[in-house]
Amino acid sequence: MIPSLKSYTTSPATSVRRAALTALVIAAAPVLHFQAAGAQAARAQTTTVASPDGRNVVALTLSDGRLTWSATRDRQPVVTPSRLGFTFRNAPALETGLRVSDSARSSADETFTLPWGEVAHVRDQHNELRVRVTETAAPQREFWVVVRVFDDGLGFRYELPDQPNLKDFEIMDELTEFAMAEDMKAWWIPANVPTNDRQEMLYSESPISKLTLVHTPLTLVGTGGLHAVIHEANLVDYASMYLAGRSESRTVRVSLTRWKDGSAVKGRTPFVTPWRTMQLADSPEQLVPSVLTLKLNPPSRLANTSWVRPMKYDGIWWGMHLNVMSWSSGARHGATTENATRYIDFAAANGLGGTLVEGWNTGWDGNWLVTGGSFSFTKAYADYDLAAVAKHAAEKGVGLIVHNETATFVDNYERQLDSAFTLYEKLGVHAIKTGYVGDTVNPGGHDHYGQYMVRHHRRVIETAAKHGIAVVMHEPIKDTGERRTWPNMLSREGARGQEYNAWGGEGGNPPEHETILFFTRLLAGPMDFTPGIFNLLLTKSETNKARTPYEARPRTTLAKQLALYVVLYSPVEMAADLIENYANQPGFQFIRDVAVDWDTTRVLHGRIGDDVVVARKTKGKDEWFIGAITDEQARTIEVSLDFLPKGARYVADIYADGKGAHWRDNPLALAITHMPVSSSTKMRIAMAPGGGQAVRIRRVP
Ligand code: NOJ
Ligand code: CA
């Protein structure tokens, strides 16, 4: 239990008065306590801050010279007193011998508008507590812990002010812990896997006490229904955070990936760390839309975002993953002027906003994982006329998405950033897709998720912004809410996407996969999953690894491929299949119709690993979409359409699993029906094994 917990219910009107009060408690009382002898001196000194609704309370406690944090929800412990502090290279740890030297409080309630998103507006309503602690003995260094508590969770970070005895520093370890009160069930992917750490592993579930080293977001489920998600926000100049478990313990601690010289973070005061965040909810449905990290990032730096366009796109891409086209030059080269023109024309004819072309630039021949240092980001293969393709795209009103695979030869990319982005800008290109396939970063062997790469990704985002270019990142640093500050940071991979279904075999995604992604990876931010595969009858000859025909198939029905456009939020959604596979397909109408920018999002039903039903309202339009997906089980879920305005009449265009549909032997059975609906309609959503349902709800004129 947390000692002497003070739970405040906050209203802005009382916050000023309370600020004065707490400053007193914390600044004056400690002096008395520490002056007192014997048992009195060891007494813990606690101050708390509550969410606006009063349910979530964070306590900072100074006891025996150490500062800890803890959290409750509805007065029940969620996080028990947990360690805070740092160890440094060539300097003593900053953790013990501390006294509270200052504190302050504030409250905020502001609503900001996103230029694009799964919601249009975000209300940032929180109470903040700042506590400064100072070492009682030399070198008398100090830091602030800043806590913000929201109705949907909490965030805290360290601020290291400029001070005489802490200038340049190297953090060896951040000591922050999350000592969960219960051995909650965790949904996790492993971190630091030597052979493939692109966050592209399948998820596992196990109690916290069984975790070793995992990525965030880490989604935790308690026996009483509590849902908690540990992640981070505003990762600017720091190492990305993993969470390390301790055998048979409910505690996970921050684990930072290191530079080659062994340190984790190099910096100079004044310095702030990323926010350590925890979403808190009573049900899985309440975890989405997840905007906590956006509230903990600075406002947009882009005055004009008109060139940042949410869009659907097609592309020269799936063919390479199926091995029927190649990135490299030669007879199967995908990125020819002719092919690109075909894909652009298809996009224009079907209302898709963009076309991605991969394999256009020189450097793909041979084993590009080894020779990636010779990729050019300006020079095209002889059969691809970049300027002509860009011109054609512009004439057709289609945005060309230029591909920049670095193969983690980051210095090669950085050397070309300015010249490449200057060229793209000149050609009217407003979006790129970057890629970082490779285990360590070249040269220098930097870690994929270390401070070096965090800095690199920021540099790419900011340089791109200067040239009016938006970024879709593959093998990225995880999303920590950058899109609020840099709305040109559109979408990321950073999870196992559709590409694994092209490769077949045991590598294909199991039917439950996307029902887990929705409650884990997608809580960080948008994902470029690339849905829309219509030729689901892939056979062995078309794929690389499959041993049986069934193994070669994506384990979803066609209706589920459509539903993923609504379920897996991204401002860019690919129509990923070869365009010839969309010919004469009634189901393609859904891809033409579906929106990519939303006013609101409502999760109607969801169980992690089982199913999801989500409704989203099209930005600025009286139109809704519903996406429903299931795992390997057939399921029927009834949902109420009471989110529609009362009295208005709508028609639902329903793309459902057809009779006898099954991902394994009948994935293409699709039943398209239309029915009148209103706010009083109860919809029965029936899904096949590996199936789903996609619905467009449009206003009757
Ligand atoms: C991996 C990316 O996820 C994929 O989309 C891309 O086609 C390949 N790398 C090649 O860059
Ligand atoms: Ca990938």
Side-chain angles (χ1 to χ4, degrees):
M1 284 303 292
I2 294 154
S4 61
L5 184 84
K6 279 179 267 155
S7 165
Y8 297 111
T9 44
T10 309
S11 77
T14 58
S15 66
V16 173
R17 187 156 38 86
R18 217 182 38 242
L21 191 97
T22 313
L24 240 175
V25 170
I26 206 142
V31 177
L32 294 176
H33 284 155
F34 283 106
Q35 281 172 350
Q40 276 285 52
R43 242 181 71 190
Q45 169 200 346
T46 292
T47 186
T48 64
V49 55
S51 54
D53 67 2
R55 294 185 64 192
N56 305 325
V57 177
V58 174
L60 292 178
T61 300
L62 190 82
S63 177
D64 291 329
R66 290 170 191 263
L67 188 69
T68 57
W69 77 283
S70 55
T72 59
R73 182 168 168 87
D74 301 331
R75 297 175 184 275
Q76 299 303 310
V78 175
V79 181
T80 58
S82 298
R83 218 171 155 188
L84 294 166
F86 300 95
T87 62
F88 297 100
R89 191 196 290 282
N90 299 332
L94 189 44
E95 188 195 13
T96 55
L98 301 172
R99 69 181 171 87
V100 172
S101 51
D102 198 359
S103 76
R105 282 176 183 273
S106 60
S107 298
D109 187 359
E110 71 158 297
T111 297
F112 56 90
T113 300
L114 299 171
W116 50 265
E118 66 275 60
V119 293
H121 308 288
V122 176
R123 183 176 179 189
D124 170 8
Q125 190 190 15
H126 68 255
N127 294 317
E128 179 181 288
L129 168 67
R130 312 166 58 83
V131 169
R132 186 175 68 190
V133 285
T134 306
E135 288 175 311
T136 48
Q140 293 197 319
R141 295 162 302 171
E142 59 185 30
F143 63 93
W144 291 87
V145 174
V146 182
V147 184
R148 287 189 188 167
V149 192
F150 307 80
D151 293 350
D152 60 345
L154 60 95
F156 63 90
R157 74 175 178 192
Y158 301 87
E159 294 182 5
L160 302 171
D162 183 24
Q163 52 194 290
N165 294 324
L166 189 53
K167 295 279 185 202
D168 289 305
F169 60 80
E170 291 186 52
I171 295 172
M172 299 303 284
D173 280 300
E174 181 188 317
L175 301 174
T176 310
E177 289 186 340
F178 299 81
M180 303 307 293
E182 184 195 334
D183 194 8
M184 297 166 89
K185 182 165 80 179
W187 292 89
W188 58 275
I189 52 172
N192 212 6
V193 180
T195 50
N196 172 1
D197 195 352
R198 295 160 214 147
Q199 301 151 292
E200 294 179 4
M201 283 71 64
L202 291 173
Y203 279 82
S204 302
E205 57 176 302
S206 51
I208 295 170
S209 55
K210 301 290 176 209
L211 299 181
T212 52
L213 192 66
V214 299
H215 279 291
T216 74
L218 179 68
T219 302
L220 304 171
V221 184
T223 45
L226 174 72
H227 285 67
V229 181
I230 304 175
H231 191 46
E232 64 180 306
N234 198 28
L235 175 61
V236 179
D237 189 11
Y238 207 79
S240 176
M241 175 180 81
Y242 301 146
L243 294 172
R246 211 163 47 214
S247 179
E248 301 314 315
S249 155
R250 297 182 307 252
T251 299
V252 290
R253 65 173 170 81
V254 168
S255 170
L256 302 174
T257 166
R258 296 177 189 286
W259 292 84
K260 276 280 153 203
D261 66 10
S263 69
V265 177
K266 299 176 194 301
R268 185 182 167 83
T269 56
F271 188 87
V272 296
T273 69
W275 295 91
R276 289 16 188 139
T277 64
M278 184 179 281
Q279 271 187 263
L280 293 168
D282 303 325
S283 70
E285 287 94 341
Q286 285 178 13
L287 292 173
V288 181
S290 167
V291 291
L292 182 65
T293 62
L294 298 183
K295 296 185 265 190
L296 291 167
N297 270 269
S300 176
R301 297 270 300 272
L302 297 181
N304 172 11
T305 53
S306 60
W307 49 271
V308 183
R309 284 203 307 166
M311 62 181 155
K312 291 167 278 186
Y313 68 100
D314 63 5
I316 299 173
W317 178 74
W318 187 242
M320 279 85 97
H321 289 274
L322 291 181
N323 240 338
V324 300
M325 289 179 185
S326 68
W327 285 282
S328 52
S329 61
R332 286 184 304 131
H333 188 213
T336 62
T337 303
E338 189 194 335
N339 257 343
T341 307
R342 246 177 4 106
Y343 272 77
I344 288 164
D345 292 350
F346 181 86
N350 292 285
L352 311 181
T355 294
L356 165 73
V357 180
E358 293 201 2
W360 66 275
N361 55 319
T362 59
W364 290 93
D365 297 319
N367 183 356
W368 51 271
L369 287 172
V370 177
T371 62
S374 61
F375 272 126
S376 168
F377 299 101
T378 50
K379 190 169 182 294
Y381 278 121
D383 53 357
Y384 184 78
D385 185 338
L386 175 63
V389 170
K391 184 160 176 274
H392 183 68
E395 281 163 10
K396 289 278 180 171
V398 172
L400 179 64
I401 305 171
V402 171
H403 186 223
N404 288 176
E405 173 60 64
T406 66
T408 63
F409 287 84
V410 162
D411 67 327
N412 176 49
Y413 190 39
E414 291 201 350
R415 271 198 302 273
Q416 298 182 56
L417 272 189
D418 282 315
S419 55
F421 291 179
T422 302
L423 172 68
Y424 306 160
E425 184 179 12
K426 199 182 96 203
L427 296 174
V429 167
H430 287 298
I432 58 168
K433 170 180 170 180
T434 58
Y436 296 86
V437 180
D439 296 330
T440 48
V441 175
N442 293 299
H446 302 291
D447 193 279
H448 226 94
Y449 305 112
Q451 188 178 16
Y452 176 88
M453 282 303 276
V454 171
R455 287 176 176 168
H456 167 73
H457 286 296
R458 280 277 167 163
R459 182 168 167 195
V460 173
I461 297 168
E462 293 179 21
T463 311
K466 277 189 217 132
H467 290 276
I469 293 170
V471 181
V472 178
M473 244 184 228
H474 277 230
E475 300 79 37
I477 288 272
K478 66 184 166 189
D479 195 326
T480 67
E482 290 78 5
R483 62 183 160 133
R484 174 157 182 216
T485 313
W486 298 105
N488 64 315
M489 180 58 248
L490 277 177
S491 193
R492 288 173 171 85
E493 191 185 36
R496 197 186 188 89
Q498 181 100 277
E499 60 185 12
Y500 280 76
N501 291 335
W503 309 335
E506 277 153 20
N509 299 327
E512 65 171 7
H513 182 55
E514 299 86 357
T515 70
I516 303 172
L517 282 183
F518 184 79
F519 294 108
T520 53
R521 159 63 183 85
L522 270 288
L523 299 179
M527 176 178 174
D528 189 36
F529 178 86
T530 68
I533 298 306
F534 275 36
N535 178 17
L536 293 164
L537 303 177
L538 295 176
T539 60
K540 194 175 167 176
S541 63
E542 286 164 312
T543 62
N544 304 336
K545 294 176 202 145
R547 290 179 305 239
T548 69
Y550 287 160
E551 254 188 21
R553 288 183 183 170
R555 291 176 236 178
T556 85
T557 65
L558 182 51
K560 182 171 178 176
Q561 287 288 325
L562 297 177
L564 291 175
Y565 285 88
V566 186
V567 173
L568 297 181
Y569 169 67
S570 174
V572 290
E573 293 276 13
M574 188 174 201
D577 211 335
L578 306 172
I579 50 175
E580 45 274 29
N581 291 338
Y582 294 131
N584 306 315
Q585 288 283 352
F588 188 67
Q589 187 57 42
F590 185 80
I591 299 183
R592 288 193 190 99
D593 291 338
V594 70
V596 282
D597 195 13
W598 310 99
D599 272 330
T600 50
T601 286
R602 303 224 349 212
V603 184
L604 305 181
H605 173 86
R607 294 290 167 264
I608 309 177
D610 295 341
D611 50 33
V612 179
V613 185
V614 59
R616 303 191 197 266
K617 181 183 173 294
T618 306
K619 173 80 65 76
K621 219 171 148 185
D622 193 356
E623 175 189 64
W624 289 75
F625 287 86
I626 294 177
I629 57 171
T630 179
D631 59 2
E632 68 289 344
Q633 307 279 341
R635 291 175 204 274
T636 299
I637 297 166
E638 192 180 273
V639 294
S640 165
L641 303 191
D642 59 6
F643 53 84
L644 295 173
K646 306 250 165 320
R649 291 187 308 132
Y650 295 83
V651 170
D653 305 321
I654 300 170
Y655 299 73
D657 288 319
K659 206 159 173 273
H662 192 297
W663 72 264
R664 185 188 293 121
D665 44 30
N666 192 15
L668 302 183
L670 181 71
I672 304 176
T673 55
H674 309 273
M675 78 175 203
V677 295
S678 70
S679 62
S680 57
T681 302
K682 305 266 181 281
M683 256 183 88
R684 283 184 79 244
I685 298 181
M687 297 179 281
Q693 191 166 127
V695 182
R696 176 191 187 203
I697 299 174
R698 56 191 159 88
R699 189 69 192 264
V700 176

